[in-house]
Amino acid sequence: MNHWLNQPILFCKRALGGLLLGAILTLPALAAPVTLNLKDADINALVESMSVLTGKNFIVDPRVKGRVTIISAKPMDEKELYEVFLAVLGVHGFAAIPGGNVIKIVPAAGAKQENVPTVDRRGGVEPDQIVTRIIQVQNVSAAQVVPILRPLIPPQGHLAAYTPTNVLIISDTAANVERIASIIARIDLASNEEVEIVTLRHATATEIVRVLTALEQGKSRADPAAAVGMPPRMVADERTNSILLSGDKASRLRFRALITHLDTPVDSGGNTQVVYLRYAKAKDLATVLQGVSKNLSTEAARNAPIAGGQPGMPPGGGASSSGGSSLVDIQADESTNALVITAPPDLIRSLRSVISQLDVRRAQVLVEAVIAEISIEKTAELGVQWVAYGNSVIGFTNLASGNAGLASVAALAAQIDAGVGSAVTSLPDPSLVPQGMHMAVGDFSGDNKFGALISALAKDADTNVLSTPTIVTLDNEEAEIIVGENVPFVTGNYTTNTSSGGTNNNSQVGNPFQTIQRDDVGIKLKVKPQINEGNAVKLEISQEVSAVVPSANAASQGPTTTKRSIKTKVLVENGQVLVLGGLISDDLSESASKVPFLGDIPLLGNLFRYRGTKKLKRNLMVFLHPVILRDSAQGTLHTNDKYSYIRDQQLTARARTDYLLSDVQPPLLKPEAEVKTQGTILNVQPAVRVEPEPPPVTVTETSGFGDK
């Protein structure tokens, strides 16, 4: 019996029967190695034997079925037997999941959803044990590594990336997880690219980058195979005139050599460049650059080492105010809106940097001013005037009524009483006829004449003025719009005296003339916007509304005008409506004229009294609405809005106007769609290009002996 225990135990299909298994169960603790050979054995019998040989407890899933074959040539200890057992399970699609004092044997497809152990490395875990491992990726993106490693993971395994922490989560056998970890370690390497800063002394960094980039692109097109890999990258820093060079060591060395050959000074002390401007005005920008060039030249002269002296000192030790500015010449060509700059290369670079920052597209500002005025005027007058005269006594009341009094009516009555032809031809000037309703009674036929005039006047006038001047201008550019009339104003009368040419030079002939000054009367809007940081707009506003008073025209003094103006500086947000100013007046005036004592008598005193009341109320408000037009799209939007409004007004006028000429219609703007397609807003047909006809072809018959 002892001799049998010292020999390797041979298991075969028949040996796994109940007899041998029972004999094994009766053995004491197994100390000798075991040679395991199985052929077409049931997998559940193998699990039972492993439980006896290793002392582990197993729970077998009902889905675990099959027959296994194991061929072994040398004895194995307990650890090696368990590793073989796990390998057999993996080959047949099963996995062992440890949990506490038992080990569950389940299909491998669902093993990753069980409580598999999470490990940091392979140490202490069998190679075929299902484990979960979290691998931290340091230098590359975990999401980019997943497609590369996915083919190396079996279907029952799991591989996913967690982007926020840049880690990989892997569930598979410990051996495969370790293999994946070694592959990741070789991929997750820091890039060997370095960034070098190459400072230029003579050439322009932007120009050098452009040349080398074109060279590299041409090389890639000529030989695509040579472009495989990470191409070198170059970025120009205009502020320091440096090039940031990134790539592998060989590429950086090659480009540094090219940059060194290109960064060479020109053979003369300066060069000339032409800079075409896109938005700025060349004449205005030349003045600014001339001042900038003086400062740059002075600074360059101070910092440059001078032969025979100390750095920063001009030759001879004197202080030169020009500092070498004579080498810089800036001229503006207005016909092409370009700048011609002659200067050393370093100064040209500095000036071009200034030009690029000044030559930018400026925004526009649309300013809408709304002037709203409402005026109400009410006037009422009532009074009685008397006149009586005889041969020796005259008495009358002529009260300050503000209109023509009783005297004019009495004169008219006297003319009618005289019976001279038709009284109509003797009427006074119509301008002297009193306003309102007047009733006159009396007798002017005898020696004793008398009359009475009863006057009543009521006046009600309303005025509603609404004006919306609109103007568009560039940022920091003043603009002005005037809508009104040019009214003449007499400023003086003169008479020139000339001699008649006789012997007595006493006879003079006068030549009178007047001096007239014309002024604009209407709506004036002058604005200068300045766009601040953000959407705020600073506006310098000068707004004026003037008009001629129709009732105040006098031939001797000239017309009378009303004027309302505002001149101010405000800060408004883009699209905000702001009130600039307003005028609200409410005037009430009452007047009474009466005869002393008689006018104070109750009731009867109204016959010797004249009363007038006048009420004037005026409301005037000026509003402002600025809109910043930063690009052409915003300008087109507001233009289309105004364009559509005018076209709608024209359509309305065409619908309600009845012309005597049926074939004549009021003008009408084109629809916006036709304007875009035809390229014009006028109602004209676009020009049609007519192709010239080909010249006629003349065919000449020829023969072998000559032409006919």
Side-chain angles (χ1 to χ4, degrees), residues 206-285:
T206 306
E207 186 67 17
I208 295 296
V209 170
R210 184 188 65 82
V211 172
L212 295 180
T213 303
L215 176 64
E216 192 67 19
Q217 292 176 352
K219 178 182 177 182
S220 300
R221 287 192 297 266
D223 187 7
V228 177
M230 183 65 67
R233 295 183 299 273
M234 293 171 291
V235 178
D237 182 19
E238 297 184 3
R239 186 180 65 86
T240 59
N241 195 37
S242 303
I243 298 177
L244 279 69
L245 189 61
S246 174
D248 56 80
K249 186 175 181 181
S251 298
R252 295 198 311 270
L253 183 60
R254 181 169 61 91
F255 276 95
R256 282 185 62 90
L258 293 175
I259 293 173
T260 303
H261 286 292
L262 294 176
D263 186 26
T264 56
V266 294
D267 52 358
S268 59
N271 60 356
T272 302
Q273 292 189 11
V274 178
V275 182
Y276 293 94
L277 304 179
R278 295 178 296 175
Y279 307 104
K281 191 176 181 180
K283 185 177 180 181
D284 298 339
L285 196 56

Side-chain angles (χ1 to χ4, degrees), residues 43-106:
I43 192 170
N44 290 295
L46 176 63
V47 173
E48 294 177 5
S49 300
M50 287 297 108
S51 177
V52 174
L53 296 175
T54 60
K56 300 181 183 293
N57 301 322
F58 297 98
I59 298 177
V60 183
D61 191 279
R63 294 170 293 179
V64 178
K65 296 179 180 180
R67 312 191 76 81
V68 300
T69 299
I70 303 175
I71 301 174
S72 177
K74 62 179 182 178
M76 295 176 288
D77 57 12
E78 179 182 340
K79 181 178 179 182
E80 293 175 342
L81 284 174
Y82 188 69
E83 291 179 357
V84 171
F85 174 66
L86 294 178
V88 170
L89 293 179
V91 169
H92 289 80
F94 303 111
I97 309 300
N101 296 326
V102 297
I103 299 174
K104 294 184 292 183
I105 300 177
V106 297

